[in-house]
Amino acid sequence: MLKNARVVGLGARLIGIGLALAFVALILLATGAPPFQAISLLITGAFGSTRKIVDVIATAVPLLLATSGLLITFAAGLWNIGIEGQITLGAIFTVGALRLFVDSGAPPGVAILVGMVAGMIGGGLWAALAGLLKIYGGVNEIFSGLGLNFVATSATIWLIFGPWRRPGVGSMSGTEPLPPEFALPQLPDMRISAWAVVLSLLGVALVYILLRGTYIGLKLKATGRNARASFVLGIPTSRYTLVAFVLCGLLAGLAGAVQVTAVYNRLIPSISSGYGFLGLLVAMLINYQVIWAIPVALFYAALIVGSIQLPIQLRLDSSLAGVLQGALVLFVLIIDGVRQRLRERG
Amino acid sequence: MQVEFRNIHKRFGSVHANKGINLTIPGGCIQGLLGENGAGKSTLMKVLSGFITSDEGEILLDGRAVTIPSPAGAIEQGIGMLHQDPLDFPPLRVLDNLLIGGRRGLIPDRRAALKALKEIETQFGFALDPDAYVDTLTVGERQQLELIRLLWLGARVLILDEPTTGISAPQKVKLFAALRKLAAEGRTIIFVTHKLEEVYQLCHRAAVLRAGALVAEIEPPYRTETFISAMFGYEIPTPPRQPPPTTAPLLELKRVTVEDARLQVGPIDLTVKAGEVIGLAGMEGSGQDLLLRLCAGLLRPTGGEIALGGRALHNATYHQFLRSRVKFMPADRMTEGLVAGLSLTEHFALNAEVHGFFINYKQAEQTAVERIAEYSIRGFPESPVESLSGGNQQRTLLALLSAPLHLLLLEHPTRGLDLESAVYIWKRLKERARADGTAILFISSDLDEVLQYSDRVLVFFAGKASAPLPAMQTSVEELGLLIGGVPLETVRATVEMRLPEEPSR
Ligand SMILES: Nc1ncnc2c1ncn2[C@@H]1O[C@H](COP(=O)(O)OP(=O)(O)OP(=O)(O)O)[C@@H](O)[C@H]1O
Ligand SMILES: [Mg+2]
C-alpha cells in the first residue's frame, strides 16, 4: 500500500512537471519564441559536452548544500529565508580566515581547512541570530531572515569597497583574488573540485541520517509539527528550534565556503548567487524528502547552466530558467494540493 | 427534517469503519448514537456532514437522495456538525467568527449578524460577548458559539459529537435545554455520547454501533443492561471503592496563588499523600485547570510555596518538574497532547526514558506493539495519531504516561473513553497510586467520576478552592451545590435538613 502511494506521488509529480513545461511553452509562444528550439537549446546547453555536464555538477554543489540545510529547518517548521545571508556570511568568514594565512607560510591544506570551518561558523552564527531573535524576541524568522540577508549583502559590499578592497580602487568585481593555492584542488582539465562534490554529498547523507534515524531529527520534526504538544511531551522546543537554525547555518556557511574556495577564490558582491532561495524551491519541490534532493538539484543546476545559451542564440533572457524553476514548484504544489483534497474527502 | 442512512460503507485502508449502516431518524427527534471507541460513530457523522465521502451507500433527506460533497455543501442542505475535537479557532472575535462562516454577499453585514446573535442567545439563554476573542472562551462557550453559527447558517440537522466531555454541569443543562427546544421546532438532532445518563435524560431513541456495524436501535423505556450488552457484549462491574491511603505527605502547597488573564486563584493550602487521588471539581475555568498546570510546572505561582517530597519546586522550570517525575496530561489531545503527523511508534520513541543518538526503531516499534495491546489502542504502530478515533487518541495519551512517576496530573482523563475503557483506565491508575505511590490530581466534569475515584475532592468556585472533602462522605448533590458557589456550611445544613436519617457528617 505504501509503495503504491509512492508511485502515485511520483506520477503526480510528473504531471506537475509536464504542466510546468507546458506553461513555459505557452509563455514562449506568447512572446513569439519557438518553444521546442528553446527547450532543445536548454538541453544541449546543459548536457551538450563533458564540460557542460561538469558545470552542471559544479553548480549543483552549493545548491545541494543549501537544500540539505533547509530540509532541516523545514522539518522543524521554520522558513529559513535568511539562508542567503548565511551563505554570504560563510563566504565572508572563509575569505577572512584565508586572508590571515596569506604569506604565513602555513601549508595550504591547513589554510583551506580552517577557511572551510570558519565559513561554517559564520553561517551558523548568522543563522543562530535568526533563531535567537525568534525565540527571545518573538521575531518571525521570515522577517529577521530578510533583514539579515540585507545586512549580509551590505557587509559584503562594505568589505569589497572598504577594508578588503583591491589595492588602488575597489570594484564590483570583488576583492583581490586569494593566492591560487588556497583554492580547492580541481580535477585535471575540469572546473570542478572533487572535494566540493564529496562535501555536498556528505551533507545530503548526514541530513538524511539525521532526519531518518536520530532522536534529534525526530524531535525537530515533532517541534515543527506541533511545538506546544512537543513541549508538553518534554522536548525543549526552543533549543531544538535553535539547533535547526544552527545546523542549517553550518551547511549554508559551507556552501559559502565552497563558493569561495572552489569557484571565485575571492569575495564578490553576490557571492550567494541566489542558491539559498533556489534551495527553498528545491526543498519544496521534493516535498522535504531528502533522497530526491540530489536529482532535483542536478535538474535545477542543469536549467541554470543550460539557459546561459538562451540570450545568445534566441535573444531570450536567461531568466527563463528562473520562470521554469518557479513554475515547476508552483505546479507540483498545486497538484499536491489537489491530491490532498481528494484524499481527505476520499 | 428526516435523515436516512442507507447501506453506508467506509473503509480507511484495511479498517472497515462503517459496515453497511442503515438508520432512519425522523424530524424533531433527538437521536442518541453510542458505541465503544473506534466503533465508527464519528466516521458516520463525518459522512453526513460532508467531511468525508462514503465508499458506498446513500443519504436521504426527507426521502430525497442527496450528495454531500463538502461541509459547505452539507450546511447548504441544512446539516451542521459540532466536532469531537473542535477544529482550530482562529484568533478572531466572536462576531467575526460568525461572519466568516456567512455566505451572504461580499461585504459582511455586522449589524444583522449582531442582531441574529442576540436573538439566538436570548432564545437559549447563552451570553457571549460579541467582542471577546474566541481563544479566550471556554470550551463550553466555544460550543455555544459554534451552535449559534450553525443555527444562523440555517442548520436543520444538528450533529453533536461528544459535546459534553469538556463542559461543566450548568453548561450541560443549558445545552440540553437548547437541544430540546430545537427538536421541538422540528429540527433533527444526532447526539453522540458515551454516557448513558445523557441518553436517558435527552434522547428520544438511541442506536448502538459496534465494530462499524449498527447492532441495536433502542427506544424508551431504557434499560442499562440493554445498552451495555449491545455495546460490549458483557456486563461491566463498577469497581469497589477503596479507603484512602495513610502514607507520608508527598506534594505540599502552602498559600499558593496563581493567575492568568481571566482569573486569580488561591491562596491554596493542600497536602497530598503519596498514592492519594485528589479530584478537582468546579465549573470550567474556576481555577482547577490553573492549579493543575501549576503543579505540572507549566505555570509559575505568583506566590506561596510548592514542595514535592520535601524539595522546593516553586521556582523550577517545566523540565525540572518532568525530571522530578511529575507528568501532565492535557485535555486538548491534538493541540497539547499528541503531534499530528507522527506515528504511534514515533510517539513512544520520543517518550522513551533514555535517548541515545540513533533511534532504535525496532525497539520503539516493540514498545508501540506492547502499549497498543496493553491499552487496547485500535491502531497500528505506524498509524499517524490523527487517524485514530477520539477515544483511541485518549488511550495513546494515557499510554504515554507509563514511566514510574511521583505525581500525575490529569485533565479529564477519561474524556471520550467508552465506559469499559474508562473503568479499565481507572483500575490501572488506582493500581499505580496504591502500588507505586503515585499521587494523582485530576479534573473531571463528571461528578460521579470525581466521587467514585478520588480519595478527597477540592471544589473550585471563582478561583477559590474549598477545603479538601473526603469523597466517601460527599454526595453528588452536595458537590453540585458547592460547584454552584453555595458555601460549604449552607450545603451541609440543607442536605442534612433534607436527609435527617443519615448520620451527621
Ligand atoms: N482518517 C482516517 N484514517 C485511517 N483510519 C481512520 C481515519 N478516521 C478513522 N479511522 C479509523 O476508523 C475507525 C472508526 O473511527 P471513528 O472515529 O469513527 O470512531 P468513533 O466511534 O468515533 O470512536 P470514539 O468513541 O473513540 O470517538 C477507527 O478504527 C479509526 O482508527
Ligand atoms: Mg469519535
Side-chain angles (χ1 to χ4, degrees):
Chain A
M1 200 186 85
L2 217 68
K3 215 171 202 169
N4 221 337
R6 285 244 172 94
V7 173
V8 174
L10 189 63
R13 239 124 254 260
L14 289 176
I15 294 176
I17 292 173
L19 284 176
L21 286 172
F23 172 76
V24 173
L26 275 180
I27 291 185
L28 287 174
L29 279 177
T31 55
F36 287 108
Q37 201 185 337
I39 287 174
S40 84
L41 261 179
L42 264 179
I43 294 172
T44 50
F47 304 110
S49 66
T50 327
R51 214 192 116 151
K52 281 175 178 157
I53 294 176
V54 166
D55 278 352
V56 169
I57 296 174
T59 307
V61 165
L63 182 55
L64 261 182
L65 285 170
T67 305
S68 329
L70 287 165
L71 286 168
I72 299 174
T73 39
F74 272 124
L78 302 166
W79 281 84
N80 186 15
I81 302 290
I83 180 140
E84 283 281 324
Q86 292 148 25
I87 299 176
T88 307
L89 259 282
I92 292 177
F93 269 57
T94 303
V95 173
L98 289 175
R99 284 171 65 94
L100 296 179
F101 283 95
V102 174
D103 300 328
S104 69
V110 173
I112 293 176
L113 190 68
V114 172
M116 299 290 239
V117 171
M120 292 176 75
I121 292 173
L125 285 176
W126 212 236
L129 209 52
L132 293 173
L133 279 170
K134 183 181 178 78
I135 295 165
Y136 296 106
V139 184
N140 185 304
E141 72 275 12
I142 296 181
F143 299 125
S144 63
L146 285 173
L148 289 170
N149 285 349
F150 185 73
V151 175
T153 311
S154 310
T156 320
I157 305 280
W158 174 71
L159 285 169
I160 289 172
F161 288 97
W164 294 352
R165 111 182 128 241
R166 287 191 159 178
V169 280
S171 103
M172 282 304 269
S173 63
T175 55
E176 181 79 357
L178 293 158
E181 64 270 21
F182 285 175
L184 281 172
Q186 305 209 325
L187 292 177
D189 295 333
M190 286 188 220
R191 290 195 319 195
I192 192 167
S193 152
W195 286 101
V197 175
V198 168
L199 280 176
S200 70
L201 293 179
L202 219 60
V204 177
L206 282 178
V207 172
Y208 181 81
I209 293 168
L210 185 81
L211 293 182
R212 282 284 292 240
T214 69
Y215 277 103
I216 298 177
L218 184 57
K219 289 179 184 179
L220 287 172
K221 270 193 267 184
T223 306
R225 286 169 192 262
N226 187 343
R228 177 71 194 157
S230 300
F231 181 79
V232 173
L233 280 171
I235 301 172
T237 47
S238 304
R239 195 189 307 164
Y240 275 88
T241 300
L242 194 60
V243 164
F245 271 114
V246 170
L247 288 176
C248 180
L250 290 176
L251 285 161
L254 186 58
V258 166
Q259 286 289 83
V260 171
T261 52
V263 186
Y264 294 106
N265 212 23
R266 60 176 192 260
L267 189 63
I268 61 163
S270 54
I271 187 100
S272 65
S273 309
Y275 286 124
F277 289 140
L278 217 51
L280 286 166
L281 289 188
V282 174
M284 283 191 275
L285 188 63
I286 61 178
N287 198 17
Y288 320 123
Q289 290 167 316
V290 184
I291 7 176
W292 288 97
I294 294 172
V296 174
L298 278 173
F299 178 57
Y300 268 48
L303 286 177
I304 297 173
V305 175
S307 64
I308 293 171
Q309 289 294 318
L310 291 177
I312 307 159
Q313 306 247 356
L314 282 181
R315 301 191 172 283
L316 279 170
D317 195 88
S318 62
S319 63
L320 184 68
V323 174
L324 188 51
Q325 284 160 348
L328 277 170
V329 173
L330 204 59
F331 279 99
V332 168
L333 289 183
I334 288 173
I335 295 276
D336 265 2
V338 171
R339 270 181 65 213
Q340 188 88 18
R341 287 200 60 148
L342 287 178
R343 193 167 36 208
E344 265 164 22
R345 312 255 329 282
Chain B
M1 189 153 63
Q2 175 179 308
V3 178
E4 192 176 345
F5 296 96
R6 273 201 198 156
N7 191 34
I8 301 288
H9 280 275
K10 179 69 193 177
R11 287 185 188 78
F12 295 105
S14 60
V15 179
H16 201 164
N18 281 169
K19 298 179 185 162
I21 290 177
N22 290 296
L23 177 66
T24 307
I25 307 163
C29 172
I30 305 182
Q31 167 84 48
L33 188 60
L34 293 102
E36 51 178 353
N37 292 131
K41 306 177 295 293
S42 297
T43 302
L44 187 67
M45 293 304 103
K46 284 182 189 163
V47 167
L48 179 59
S49 59
F51 275 85
I52 52 180
T53 45
S54 62
D55 300 337
E56 245 179 86
E58 51 181 0
I59 288 172
L60 286 78
L61 297 180
D62 283 336
R64 196 169 42 86
V66 291
T67 48
I68 303 168
S70 65
I75 195 77
E76 262 167 44
Q77 315 260 18
I79 301 167
M81 174 157 175
L82 253 70
H83 281 267
Q84 182 170 6
D85 288 291
L87 307 171
D88 270 347
F89 280 92
L92 288 177
R93 292 172 197 276
V94 165
L95 193 62
D96 298 317
N97 189 283
L98 268 188
L99 285 166
I100 44 168
R103 46 183 171 165
R104 280 155 258 201
L106 260 182
I107 301 159
D109 186 348
R110 299 187 71 88
R111 202 170 308 153
L114 190 61
K115 198 166 147 244
L117 176 71
K118 288 285 163 222
E119 263 171 29
I120 300 175
E121 282 196 332
T122 40
Q123 199 180 346
F124 299 115
F126 300 163
L128 300 178
D129 172 6
D131 290 321
Y133 279 96
V134 176
D135 48 9
T136 66
L137 301 183
T138 65
V139 178
E141 287 168 337
R142 285 181 192 194
Q143 210 174 55
Q144 295 175 354
L145 172 62
E146 196 54 15
L147 198 62
I148 291 172
R149 199 174 68 85
L150 293 174
L151 291 175
W152 186 58
L153 292 173
R156 285 179 295 151
V157 177
L158 280 171
I159 304 164
L160 295 95
D161 196 354
E162 300 186 30
T164 55
T165 42
I167 63 175
S168 57
Q171 275 174 327
K172 187 158 127 182
V173 172
K174 245 183 212 176
L175 176 70
F176 281 15
L179 293 180
R180 288 197 193 95
K181 222 173 201 172
L182 290 167
E185 291 169 3
R187 284 183 235 250
T188 311
I189 315 270
I190 308 180
F191 188 86
V192 181
T193 184
H194 289 295
K195 295 185 185 145
L196 291 180
E197 62 289 358
E198 293 178 358
V199 177
Y200 300 164
Q201 281 170 30
L202 185 71
C203 298
H204 300 137
R205 55 215 288 276
V208 177
L209 294 187
R210 188 161 156 200
L214 184 80
V215 290
E217 287 191 63
I218 304 174
E219 301 209 353
Y222 296 128
R223 290 177 58 243
T224 304
E225 304 87 76
T226 326
F227 281 99
I228 299 289
S229 69
M231 280 192 284
F232 307 108
Y234 59 91
E235 254 182 65
I236 293 162
T238 321
R241 300 273 302 261
Q242 295 158 319
T246 49
T247 42
L250 175 74
L251 173 73
E252 283 171 289
L253 304 184
K254 280 196 199 122
R255 303 207 56 76
V256 167
T257 52
V258 58
E259 61 184 50
D260 69 359
R262 307 213 308 171
L263 190 68
Q264 294 190 328
V265 180
I268 294 173
D269 283 292
L270 177 68
T271 305
V272 183
K273 299 193 195 83
E276 198 178 12
V277 179
I278 306 265
L280 308 180
M283 292 217 281
E284 202 198 339
S286 298
Q288 69 274 42
D289 44 346
L290 297 188
L291 177 69
L292 209 64
R293 277 159 198 270
L294 172 87
C295 294
L298 285 164
L299 281 180
R300 290 284 180 92
T302 49
E305 291 169 20
I306 308 173
L308 186 75
R311 260 188 57 206
L313 276 181
H314 33 272
N315 289 321
T317 63
Y318 177 59
H319 287 96
Q320 286 167 323
F321 273 82
L322 283 179
R323 260 177 268 135
S324 312
R325 305 216 157 266
V326 176
K327 227 164 184 187
F328 169 73
M329 191 195 89
D332 207 341
R333 303 185 271 253
M334 289 316 283
T335 57
E336 282 193 302
L338 303 172
V339 182
L342 296 194
S343 67
L344 285 173
T345 303
E346 287 174 315
H347 275 86
F348 289 114
L350 281 176
N351 196 49
E353 281 281 285
V354 272
H355 286 179
F357 183 74
F358 290 105
I359 303 171
N360 184 343
Y361 269 110
K362 212 179 250 165
Q363 199 186 322
E365 195 177 317
Q366 181 63 33
T367 317
V369 169
E370 280 164 19
R371 296 271 189 279
I372 285 173
E374 192 179 343
Y375 288 84
S376 30
I377 298 168
R378 216 176 267 187
F380 307 101
E382 66 277 9
S383 304
V385 286
E386 70 273 21
S387 77
L388 302 177
S389 83
N392 284 301
Q393 289 171 359
Q394 190 72 14
R395 292 168 203 226
T396 308
L397 270 186
L398 287 157
L400 289 172
L401 303 173
S402 7
L405 294 174
H406 289 314
L407 178 60
L408 191 47
L409 306 151
L410 308 164
E411 246 179 20
H412 300 283
T414 58
R415 172 171 176 244
L417 291 186
D418 62 41
L419 190 65
E420 183 196 24
S421 326
V423 169
Y424 172 72
I425 289 295
W426 267 116
K427 188 170 145 256
R428 298 288 312 271
L429 289 172
K430 287 295 247 192
E431 278 167 13
R432 287 184 79 162
R434 295 300 185 255
D436 312 344
T438 307
I440 298 177
L441 264 64
F442 77 99
I443 295 180
S444 173
S445 47
D446 182 342
L447 301 186
D448 291 313
E449 182 179 29
V450 170
L451 289 180
Q452 171 71 36
Y453 297 108
S454 316
D455 297 314
R456 290 185 294 161
V457 181
L458 240 56
V459 182
F460 282 78
F461 181 76
K464 296 272 172 273
S466 73
L469 311 168
M472 289 260 211
Q473 285 124 48
T474 308
S475 68
V476 171
E477 192 191 5
E478 286 172 312
L479 209 51
L481 289 171
L482 288 169
I483 285 171
V486 182
L488 188 59
E489 304 75 52
T490 326
V491 170
R492 295 239 159 108
T494 25
V495 174
E496 264 160 39
M497 250 171 21
R498 231 173 307 148
L499 306 164
E501 70 273 18
E502 277 203 46
S504 71
R505 298 185 161 161

